[in-house]
Amino acid sequence: MLAVEGLAKVYPTGKKALGGVDIVIDRPQLVAVIGSSGAGKSTFIRCINRLVEPTAGRVLLNGQDIVALDRKGLRAARRRIGMIFQEYNLVERLSVMQNVLSGRLGYVGLLAALRYRFPPQDIQAAFALLDRVGLAGYHDRRADALSGGQRQRVGIARALMQRPDLLLLDEPTASLDPKTSRQIMRLVRELVAERQTPAIINIHDVALARAYADRIIGMKDGLIVFDAEAGSLTEAALTQIYGEEDWSSPQEEDEDIPAGAAAMASLGMTS
């Protein structure tokens, strides 16, 4: 399904964001990417669909190298990659239905897109998705009238309207409260299984990653330092990803504690 080979990103300043990343996702699964701020997680996610242009490497989605595509080919390829953002990226003044249907803009003509005129089957699919993500009856609401969790559900429905071969999620729970974050993660995991669509999620919350992901990739300094089933994420692995810390002791959250520390306490790994 997805093979990433030697993916690298070096910015004009000389900063190396990715140092040569290799992964293979050969079945539908939810893959969580964790690591400290600056580890390269967002760059990795965004290089896959070329929101950030890689410096080197290949991204093979069902055998097609996304990195080698010209602008026209990239537009077509992005139809098959659903992207879900931390800040939702909805058009606030438009309705929920219009935002969801925007996931089909790449499949209709320009005039129809400007007028938001879509085939009946697309409209039916949008209603079905709104029902599936828990927003039945919200189709006429303006996006700016929704809560954060509801907006993220609209973003998920919009991405699924593309009927993607791959889902990318960039910090989708960062702006949500703990309960809503769990609901969103549970929904994503269920949709991966139902639609047989692999998903990669960049996430800071180690507890959520361990609870809902099938596989966890740990990044440090632009490199993958851990890649295994979620249940294999040990204290030693966390030290490898985040640095030395007493993971068995409860910690008060502050800016100096690595992102995983407080999360591990919530997993019951306390003295």
Side-chain angles (χ1 to χ4, degrees), residues 169-219:
L169 302 93
D170 194 7
E171 296 279 3
T173 62
S175 302
L176 305 178
D177 63 77
K179 179 179 179 180
T180 305
S181 295
R182 290 172 64 87
Q183 292 172 341
I184 292 297
M185 288 295 292
R186 187 180 302 117
L187 174 62
V188 171
R189 183 178 66 180
E190 291 170 355
L191 290 169
V192 167
E194 291 170 10
R195 293 176 174 261
Q196 293 291 284
T197 303
I200 305 175
I201 178 171
N202 165 22
I203 188 168
H204 271 298
D205 193 318
V206 175
L208 284 178
R210 189 171 181 181
Y212 294 101
D214 301 300
R215 172 181 170 188
I216 293 178
I217 290 174
M219 295 191 69

Side-chain angles (χ1 to χ4, degrees), residues 82-100:
M83 186 77 180
I84 299 166
F85 299 88
Q86 174 184 343
E87 298 300 333
Y88 322 122
N89 278 29
L90 304 181
V91 181
E92 300 289 338
R93 62 183 178 80
L94 296 183
S95 70
V96 166
M97 177 60 78
Q98 288 173 312
N99 273 284
V100 173

Side-chain angles (χ1 to χ4, degrees), residues 16-51:
K16 183 185 290 186
L18 295 178
V21 172
D22 299 281
I23 69 162
V24 173
I25 300 176
D26 57 6
R27 63 187 184 277
Q29 58 181 179
L30 178 56
V31 180
V33 183
I34 65 172
S36 300
S37 296
K41 304 184 303 298
S42 285
T43 302
F44 170 59
I45 289 277
R46 289 167 178 260
C47 277
I48 291 176
N49 63 1
R50 286 176 54 189
L51 288 178

